[in-house]
Amino acid sequence: RFCTVSNLATIINAKVPALLRNLESLGFEGLTHDYILDQENATLIADDYGFEVVLNDETGIDIFPEPINELLLQTRAPIVTIMGHVDHGKTTILDYLRNSSIVDQEHGGITQHIGAFSVTTPVSKKSITFLDTPGHAAFLKMRERGANVTDIVVLVVAGDDSVKPQTIEAIKHAKKAGVQMIVAINKCDKPGANPDKVVADLSRHEVDVEDYGGDVQVIRVSGKTGLNMDKLEEAIVTLSEIMDVKAEVEKVPAEGWVIESHLKKGLGSVATVLVTRGTVKPGSILVAGQTYCRVKSMKDEHGKVVRAACPSKPVEVWGWRDLPEAGDSVIQAKDEKLAKKVVDNRANRAKTIDEAKDVDAINKMRKKQRDEVDRLKKVEELKKYGLEGTAMNAAAAEDTCKQISFIIKADVSGSAEAVKESIAHLGNDEVKVRVLYDAVGPATETDLERAKTSGSSILAFNIDTPKDIERKAFTAGVDIKSHNIIYHLIEEVTEILTSNLAPEV
Ligand code: GDP
């Protein structure tokens, strides 16, 4: 994917100086034979030399959702997230709903937390799926990754506390996500509850409550006593019917979202998948993020084996090669061969992005090194022409230069060297890097002591720092900067140098 100018010259049968001149005329500045070109630029140049570049088209392979076939759409259960201020009763309401569903289904056992659960409403006998992690963090984390899982947000507001900062935040999130909202005024069993005040406060925060002629339903409930919880469930069903939530159940590749994942002792990687389209069955091949699985078995939140998971059904799925992440989108592949190809390509693409950034850092580092050599040559020349005073000035300038000191700790000696090389030449006449020493292995107490006495920061590359050392470093006021990607480390060191420059006057 990358090649140097000299590599490219060999491939296209050109002389390096001629190629460099040509590159300059194409707009590249100050290039050298060892400059690393990316695929796009290399292709451009090869093209200019009359070579046809054939890219390995397998690198583009991925699976994309098929267009929706309106004729196959069927009503599905709405997917609901509970949000609201801390202590307003989100967990209590979820617990009540979960327990009522156990009684309904005569499972009697304990419902396991798998990230979501389904209930059947007491009156209309319709199904609702609740996401089991209340609060904004989970909702936002999924949305950040592009996962639009929720159809409806139930905004819980305590009747005795009314609208609070996190209530306002939840309103904002729901609006921004374009998700429909239902208000549950909770703790209405309490004598101090004042639901009318809550309604007034909500309308002041631009919630279009039905009490004031809007279309946001408001239900006065108690998660503790169960007061009006059936009304809340029916309100959700009514809204979902108005919204007309639908999905194809058959004849399309299955799709969904990973909502939770973890390693189970002896069982391997397990992920809860919320199916949004199609049907997942044992034997289905699913791709999620950079991993895939042939579904070994599926279980619901009651630990019951599921043979077919339709849209809005949350199931624990066994059989993943690696652990997928919450928020990963899931899509069915027609066979394992394709799944493997897609996953490999996704991993390669991610790697290319990181490598491209590394390449950029290396090119910049080389330019700095060359500039430094040029500067030293100039000083030598000045000396030769008897202009030692000027040279002396340069040396004097060197003396007043501020040095920022670092200790490098890395996983292997090769990377310790690489880090040292990439940062040693950073800086300018005012501020420079000084590498106190570099060594292999995690930071130790000795490193901390030396860092403290010398005023150095520790750079940990590709290696974890033990927790107790981190704590000791914090108390001793020693900075440990950990990185796995070299250009991130270079950026950080550059920032430290910049922050040490004298302010401009
Ligand atoms: P969360 O932080 O929003 O999940 O709130 P919790 O569900 O943990 O509830 C916070 C406190 O309020 C707990 O002590 C609950 O027992 C109490 N609580 C929750 N719902 C009700 C309710 O409807 N009535 C009464 N009286 N107390 C409630």
Side-chain angles (χ1 to χ4, degrees), residues 85-93 134 186-190 221-225:
H85 196 71
V86 66
D87 277 344
H88 279 199
K90 298 179 292 293
T91 314
T92 309
I93 289 179
N186 193 32
K187 308 199 186 183
C188 285
D189 60 299
K190 277 188 154 181
V221 303
S222 164
K224 202 167 187 178
T225 66

Side-chain angles (χ1 to χ4, degrees), residues 167 195 238 265 346 490:
T167 321
T238 310
K265 246 195 175 155
R346 288 182 182 182
I490 296 174

Side-chain angles (χ1 to χ4, degrees), residues 405 407 409 436-437 439 444-458 478:
S405 177
I407 293 170
K409 301 294 303 223
L436 204 63
Y437 59 90
T444 60
E445 285 201 38
T446 318
D447 294 324
L448 284 187
E449 267 164 37
R450 290 179 180 168
K452 197 170 172 203
T453 29
S454 62
S456 310
S457 301
I458 298 177
V478 172

Side-chain angles (χ1 to χ4, degrees), residues 360-401:
D360 196 37
I362 293 169
N363 279 333
K364 278 191 187 140
M365 178 192 90
R366 286 186 178 154
K367 177 154 184 349
K368 277 233 162 78
Q369 283 172 340
R370 274 193 303 275
D371 288 350
E372 179 65 10
V373 170
D374 285 350
R375 196 186 66 77
L376 290 175
K377 267 192 202 150
K378 240 178 231 157
V379 171
E380 282 302 307
E381 237 159 74
L382 285 173
K383 271 192 197 160
K384 218 164 44 190
Y385 289 106
L387 294 165
E388 282 173 45
T390 327
M392 291 300 285
N393 284 344
E398 202 106 300
D399 278 344
T400 57
C401 181

